[in-house]
């Protein structure tokens, strides 16, 4: 690859990321049922109705997997913890679950890796989902309790912690678009989830501060929105998309303010007295993480349900997800975050990467397209640094091929290939290229 460590300032961190449900194997270790198990079991929701019961069997193979992270020369390993593994019914503690994360964190430290924990990456215990999940304000109390239970055990050893991965996905993708569990298509449920997910974030940060933890942040996802034409109606639609996707959650968490444009449509559906929560929601953060993959081309669609936007086919090359490759969006968001929301606060790119078919040929995977993708996005990080944006790390999604949610196991994002029959791990060309770049 083109880039290597010396291209970046001293102390700039390289990492790779995974999430619990996508790799661990949820059938093991006494974990409780989650709304993703329920969602996947309902025909039509997930390709081939695949779930995370076995996934990559990381639960048993974590030492080998962490060897791969360390051998590549990564500084940081971003992982998530499964709420239902720690508290199978959302309330009772499963000692085996806590023991697992305790061992996992120690195994990272043994290898010189910085453990970057995300408490919630989408697998809600079914009992809590059945009680209304993110639509129910009580979720914030439950999440605060989970934070306390988990971090009382591992909070003294994690390098950083963030409460919730990608609040937009938790709220919008899951309650408005219906693509993720619980698969709702309901604007009222969405507005409530959009607020409660941030309330839970704020409560969790508060609990972790109380435990004396340092280096606490939030992880948000971003998609650049490009108007399909230059009519006023189209430009307004692209701005509404941007307001909901890219401004609502970051604005709430970083400034205690929701986008006025997004509120125009959402206000009637919001929980009562939501304004009273904005101070709690905007707890000071030590860093903000940006997850970035793609852009969308947006049109105005007068017939679509609120918010009257439609995604249309764009002209750029696409990944195996069908997502357009648009590296400039990453630079745009890094600059915008610092200029409009986060100021001097440290930023990390907490996820970036691409899916490809990645067939195993002659015992290897020649994923040159992924290497180019990474280089092109690192160009953007470098430009942002040159522009004075305080971005201090870049973490690849993902360490290894894994359960890609509603798309099952076919979409491979890994630097390491996983054979889902034998579970054999084979580092791809991108893994070897990064290992060389990080050592040089
Ligand atoms: C991120 N969308 O999710 C997640 O953090 C990962 O768990 C996931 O595997 C990765 O990106 C690749 O998909 C997203 O449809 C999933 O807009 C879907 C969307 C956005 C982010």
């Amino acid at each position: 690859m083109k880039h290597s460590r010396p291209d970046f300032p001293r102390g700039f961190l390289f990492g790779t990321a995974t999430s619990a449900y996508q790799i661990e194997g949820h059938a093991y270790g006494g974990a409780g049922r989650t709304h993703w198990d329920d969602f996947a079991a309902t025909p039509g929701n997930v390709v081939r109705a695949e779930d995370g019961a076995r996934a990559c069997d990381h639960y048993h193979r974590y030492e080998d997997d962490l060897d791969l992270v360390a051998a590549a020369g990564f500084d940081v390993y971003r992982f998530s913890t499964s709420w239902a593994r720690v508290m199978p019914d959302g309330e009772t503690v499963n000692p085996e679950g806590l023991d697992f994360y305790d061992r996992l964190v120690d195994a990272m430290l043994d290898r010189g890796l910085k453990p970057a924990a995300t408490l919630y990456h989408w697998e809600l215990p079914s009992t809590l989902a059945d009680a209304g999940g993110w639509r129910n304000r009580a979720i914030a109390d439950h999440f605060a309790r989970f934070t306390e239970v988990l971090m009382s055990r591992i909070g003294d050893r994690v390098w950083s912690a963030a409460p919730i991965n990608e609040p937009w996905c938790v709220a919008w993708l899951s309650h408005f678009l219906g693509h993720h569990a619980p698969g709702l298509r309901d604007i009222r449920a969405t507005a409530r989830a959009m607020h409660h997910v941030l309330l839970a974030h704020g409560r969790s940060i508060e609990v972790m501060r109380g435990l004396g933890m340092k280096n606490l942040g939030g992880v948000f996802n971003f998609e650049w929105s490009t108007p399909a034409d230059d009519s006023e109606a189209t430009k307004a639609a692209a701005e509404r998309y941007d307001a909901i996707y890219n401004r609502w959650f970051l604005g709430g968490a970083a400034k205690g303010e929701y986008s006025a444009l997004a509120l125009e449509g959402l206000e009637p559906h919001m929980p009562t007295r939501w304004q009273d929560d904005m101070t709690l929601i905007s707890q000071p953060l030590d860093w903000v993480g940006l997850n970035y993959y793609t852009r969308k081309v947006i049109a105005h669609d007068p017939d679509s349900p609120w918010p009257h936007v439609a995604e249309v086919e764009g002209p750029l090359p696409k990944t195996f997800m069908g997502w357009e490759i648009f590296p400039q969006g990453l630079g745009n968001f890094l600059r915008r975050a610092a200029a409009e929301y986060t100021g001097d606060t440290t930023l990390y790119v907490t996820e970036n990467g691409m899916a490809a078919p990645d067939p195993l040929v002659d015992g290897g995977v020649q994923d040159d397209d992924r290497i180019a993708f990474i280089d092109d996005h690192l160009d953007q990080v470098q430009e942002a640094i040159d522009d004075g944006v305080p971005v201090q790390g870049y973490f690849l999604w993902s360490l290894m091929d894994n359960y890609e949610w509603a798309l099952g196991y076919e979409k491979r994002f890994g630097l390491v290939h996983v054979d889902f029959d034998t579970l054999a791990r084979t580092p791809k060309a991108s893994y070897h290229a990064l290992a060389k770049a990080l050592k040089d």
Side-chain angles (χ1 to χ4, degrees):
M1 57 187 280
K2 187 176 76 183
H3 284 293
S4 63
R5 213 184 256 283
D7 297 349
F8 293 85
R10 187 183 296 275
F12 187 87
L13 299 170
F14 287 90
T16 186
T18 60
S19 91
Y21 193 80
Q22 292 179 275
I23 65 168
E24 285 178 359
H26 201 71
Y28 314 120
R33 198 169 172 84
T34 76
H35 73 169
W36 263 96
D37 303 299
D38 301 330
F39 185 70
T42 309
N45 284 336
V46 177
V47 174
R48 289 180 294 272
E50 288 169 338
D51 63 22
R54 183 173 78 152
C56 304
D57 188 32
H58 175 73
Y59 184 79
H60 297 109
R61 297 165 197 245
Y62 67 95
E63 299 216 55
D64 293 344
D65 292 337
L66 293 177
D67 284 345
L68 286 167
V69 180
F74 286 114
D75 310 296
V76 174
Y77 178 58
R78 176 171 175 255
F79 69 109
S80 81
T81 51
S82 166
W83 190 344
R85 180 177 297 295
V86 174
M87 301 165 96
D89 61 1
E91 288 183 12
T92 321
V93 177
N94 169 31
E96 249 183 295
L98 281 178
D99 289 348
F100 173 67
Y101 292 116
D102 194 77
R103 290 197 299 277
L104 188 68
V105 167
D106 281 344
M108 289 176 219
L109 296 175
D110 288 345
R111 289 162 178 77
L113 296 167
K114 297 183 191 313
T118 304
L119 279 98
Y120 181 80
H121 197 129
W122 306 353
E123 66 279 53
L124 189 65
S126 293
T127 44
L128 297 179
D130 294 345
W134 294 102
R135 284 163 286 157
N136 185 343
R137 185 179 175 91
I139 197 74
D141 293 328
H142 288 288
F143 191 63
R145 174 88 186 112
F146 166 50
T147 303
E148 193 185 325
V149 166
L150 175 72
M151 288 306 175
S152 299
R153 183 69 178 268
I154 65 169
D156 58 332
R157 280 159 294 141
V158 296
W159 168 73
S160 74
I164 292 164
N165 182 65
E166 302 185 342
W168 178 88
C169 290
V170 174
W172 199 262
L173 192 64
S174 310
H175 296 82
F176 188 81
L177 298 174
H179 297 170
H180 280 187
L184 299 182
R185 293 187 165 82
D186 178 335
I187 189 61
R188 185 176 166 82
T190 303
R192 280 156 195 278
M194 286 170 87
H195 185 64
H196 295 151
V197 70
L198 289 176
L199 184 64
H201 158 89
R203 291 288 305 277
S204 180
I205 294 283
E206 187 179 60
V207 168
M208 292 193 282
R209 292 273 179 228
L211 291 170
M213 291 176 62
K214 304 235 161 29
N215 208 20
L216 308 179
V219 174
F220 304 91
N221 58 313
F222 298 84
E223 249 183 37
W224 195 252
S225 78
T226 302
D229 59 60
D230 54 18
S231 73
E232 288 310 314
T234 304
K235 283 193 276 186
E239 275 178 35
R240 280 196 296 277
Y241 185 89
D242 187 43
I244 290 167
Y245 204 117
N246 303 309
R247 296 189 183 277
W248 180 275
F249 301 95
L250 181 61
K255 305 207 321 195
E257 281 170 26
Y258 287 147
S259 152
L261 184 59
L263 264 177
E264 276 176 24
L266 288 168
E267 178 83 67
H269 307 289
M270 291 291 285
T272 48
R273 299 176 60 105
W274 59 267
Q275 293 88 342
D276 296 353
D277 297 325
M278 296 316 285
T279 305
L280 180 55
I281 283 175
S282 54
Q283 303 279 315
L285 298 176
D286 303 306
W287 55 270
V288 167
L290 287 78
N291 293 357
Y292 177 78
Y293 292 92
T294 188
R295 73 163 189 183
K296 287 281 158 45
V297 180
I298 300 299
H300 176 58
D301 177 357
D303 298 326
S304 93
W306 197 94
H308 306 291
V309 306
E311 298 175 12
V312 296
E313 176 103 356
L316 302 180
K318 297 184 177 66
T319 70
F320 196 39
M321 292 292 277
W323 294 352
E324 281 194 308
I325 299 174
F326 184 61
Q328 296 90 321
L330 178 57
N332 294 349
F333 280 125
L334 287 167
R335 279 182 289 271
R336 186 209 268 187
E340 297 185 34
Y341 295 97
T342 56
D344 297 335
T345 302
T346 295
L347 303 178
Y348 296 108
V349 178
T350 31
E351 284 180 28
N352 178 235
M354 66 170 272
D358 289 345
L360 199 56
V361 177
D362 298 332
V365 177
Q366 200 55 46
D367 57 340
D368 298 314
D369 45 353
R370 182 172 287 107
I371 296 172
F373 181 101
I374 296 167
D375 264 331
D376 292 345
H377 287 80
L378 283 174
D379 282 343
Q380 293 293 319
V381 173
Q382 212 177 15
E383 275 183 35
I385 293 171
D386 291 345
D387 291 341
V389 177
V391 50
Q392 292 182 14
Y394 173 85
F395 311 157
L396 278 149
W397 185 270
S398 180
L399 169 64
M400 58 187 158
D401 298 338
N402 59 46
Y403 180 61
E404 181 48 33
W405 305 111
L407 298 169
Y409 290 94
E410 191 189 46
K411 307 293 181 196
R412 297 176 175 275
F413 273 91
L415 302 172
V416 174
H417 180 276
V418 176
D419 177 323
F420 288 104
D421 294 319
T422 64
L423 295 174
R425 275 71 161 149
T426 308
K428 302 178 189 178
S430 56
Y431 174 95
H432 295 298
L434 272 158
K436 185 162 182 301
L438 296 180
K439 252 153 233 167
D440 277 356

